[in-house]
Amino acid sequence: MSVFSRLLYSGIAGALLLASVLLMGVAISRAFTGFRTGEGALDAMLDGIGLVIIAVAVADVGKFLFEEEVIADRELRRPAEARGSLTKFMTIIIVALSLESLVLITKASREKPAEILFPALLMLVAVAALVGLGLFQKLSHRVTAAIPDEAGDHEDGAEARRPSRSAKGTPKNR
């Protein structure tokens, strides 16, 4: 990976982490203001929880980008690597959707029970994403199990240099 790409992804990850910290600050400020004034303290706390959930998801995405694009410094050559990265990313999104829908269900049930449809649909979307991820895992595992690892893809190439041995312990190609 080029230096420019590393710097670019580092900057993006840093911006996401900064946005996450700022969201947490806003959440704390709103919750504190709600408790100080005494009006709508529970609503302020639920809003704060929602912001914290979003902040955690944003921080996780920033961390994911930094780990995958800067630290790992690899291109996804094998399907198993791509499957693992996609699973990590989708897990972050599914957890955030689930938690946010729970907060919205709690708010809607307290304020206007008739408006619980949107949070319930959001929960269904999270469940559908989880089922989709499970289906993706199952189908892609079958495909990647059928594809052997390339000898050149090993990090140190040691397995490619190692001679194969037969059942008696002698090299096959001698």
Side-chain angles (χ1 to χ4, degrees):
M1 179 179 284
S2 70
V3 174
F4 175 74
S5 294
R6 282 186 172 186
L7 288 174
L8 179 66
Y9 280 109
S10 295
I12 292 169
L16 288 172
L17 291 174
L18 178 63
S20 174
V21 169
L22 291 174
L23 277 172
M24 293 257 245
V26 169
I28 292 168
S29 172
R30 284 189 181 177
F32 179 73
T33 302
F35 282 119
R36 191 177 42 138
T37 61
E39 294 180 17
L42 184 59
D43 290 334
M45 182 59 87
L46 289 174
D47 287 341
I49 290 171
L51 286 174
V52 168
I53 290 167
I54 293 168
V56 168
V58 169
D60 278 347
V61 169
K63 179 181 161 222
F64 170 80
L65 282 174
F66 189 75
E67 288 174 349
E68 291 293 318
E69 300 296 335
V70 178
I71 293 176
D73 190 27
R74 66 169 188 249
E75 292 182 20
L76 300 177
R77 293 184 186 126
R78 292 179 292 208
E81 290 175 353
R83 189 178 81 221
S85 293
L86 184 61
T87 300
K88 284 180 192 177
F89 181 75
M90 284 304 297
T91 301
I92 292 166
I93 301 303
I94 291 168
V95 168
L97 280 173
S98 301
L99 291 174
E100 186 65 23
S101 65
L102 285 175
V103 169
L104 291 175
I105 286 172
T106 304
K107 276 182 80 171
S109 67
R110 289 188 36 77
E111 294 172 2
K112 297 177 185 173
E115 293 184 6
I116 204 164
L117 183 61
F118 172 72
L121 287 175
L122 188 60
M123 180 60 84
L124 284 175
V125 167
V127 169
L130 182 62
V131 169
L133 180 61
L135 185 62
F136 168 76
Q137 283 287 348
K138 183 176 182 177
L139 294 175
S140 65
H141 181 70
R142 287 182 185 170
V143 170
T144 57
I147 300 172
D149 286 342
E150 299 288 327
D153 283 346
H154 297 290
E155 288 186 19
D156 61 354
E159 290 184 30
R161 291 188 302 265
R162 212 176 289 142
S164 301
R165 299 196 177 268
S166 67
K168 295 181 182 179
T170 59
K172 285 183 179 179
N173 297 332
R174 285 189 185 180

